[in-house]
Amino acid sequence: MRIHFHRIAMLGAGLAFLLCPAVSMAIETHHPVVIYEGTPTELASASPFAQSADLWVTLQDLTRATGYVLKPQGVCRKELCFPLPKKTRSDFLVKRDSVEWFNLSAFARMLHQAVARDAQFDTWYFGPRQDTQNAFLSSLDAPNFTLPDSTGKLHSLSDFRGKKVLLITWASW
């Protein structure tokens, strides 16, 4: 009896979907998702530049997704500000139908920031800026450890303090 009721419920839901164009349009409408600094943000507006390989976002979406704001001195976030080159400003900013669009992909290229796109799901991932990629390594200290060499003699990392050390590791997985 449950199976029969389940089939009727599915049939009813399917008919409601076909008979209600507003519902089907709402389901088909989607906006790109930007993952910036590990935080996903669905953009409020889809880009009018459908044929572009770049991601164009409104200035509001730029701020919501990345925290950056367009100012006269450039694209800024807190005390960090990146001036846009005057000669190529049109590569970054375009006004269409009273909406100003920002080329987030071009901005990432200017900052040497890696970008990956999943076209099927219209999702864009922006990696860390090049100047911050290895910033944590300057303060990273390796813990001391002791391992045997091929003859069984023990060596500690601290024995090589002040010398350059190349560690080669291997794992079976």
Side-chain angles (χ1 to χ4, degrees):
M1 196 129 199
R2 277 189 184 180
I3 294 172
H4 182 68
F5 179 76
H6 178 68
R7 286 184 183 166
I8 292 172
M10 285 177 52
L11 180 61
L15 287 174
F17 178 77
L18 292 173
L19 296 175
C20 185
V23 171
S24 63
M25 285 179 64
I27 291 173
E28 289 176 17
T29 304
H30 70 280
H31 296 118
V33 173
V34 170
I35 302 171
Y36 202 91
E37 293 183 346
T39 303
T41 305
E42 183 175 2
L43 302 181
S45 303
S47 170
F49 309 100
Q51 302 304 319
S52 176
D54 286 339
L55 177 63
W56 289 83
V57 299
T58 64
L59 296 181
Q60 293 81 14
D61 279 340
L62 172 69
T63 302
R64 279 186 341 99
T66 67
Y68 285 103
V69 178
L70 182 65
K71 294 183 177 180
Q73 60 269 34
V75 182
C76 306
R77 183 169 67 179
K78 299 179 184 173
E79 69 281 345
L80 187 64
C81 203
F82 297 98
L84 296 176
K86 289 181 183 177
K87 290 181 181 179
T88 59
R89 190 169 174 88
S90 62
D91 292 345
F92 296 94
L93 289 166
V94 171
K95 193 167 191 170
R96 182 169 284 180
D97 299 329
S98 74
V99 176
E100 203 158 10
W101 294 89
F102 183 77
N103 189 336
L104 190 55
S105 302
F107 183 64
R109 283 191 296 275
M110 184 180 89
L111 300 181
H112 303 286
Q113 187 175 14
V115 178
R117 177 182 184 208
D118 183 327
Q120 180 181 356
F121 295 105
D122 206 5
T123 300
W124 296 75
Y125 172 80
F126 291 83
R129 293 188 327 267
Q130 188 178 30
D131 61 321
T132 63
Q133 287 176 2
N134 294 319
F136 70 94
L137 291 179
S138 63
S139 65
L140 187 62
D141 289 329
N144 191 34
F145 58 88
T146 303
L147 293 172
D149 64 15
S150 59
T151 64
K153 183 178 176 191
L154 295 176
H155 298 277
S156 295
L157 183 60
S158 61
D159 297 341
F160 301 96
R161 196 78 58 207
K163 298 178 184 176
K164 292 182 181 180
V165 177
L166 172 65
L167 295 176
I168 301 174
T169 61
W170 177 84
S172 61
W173 65 88

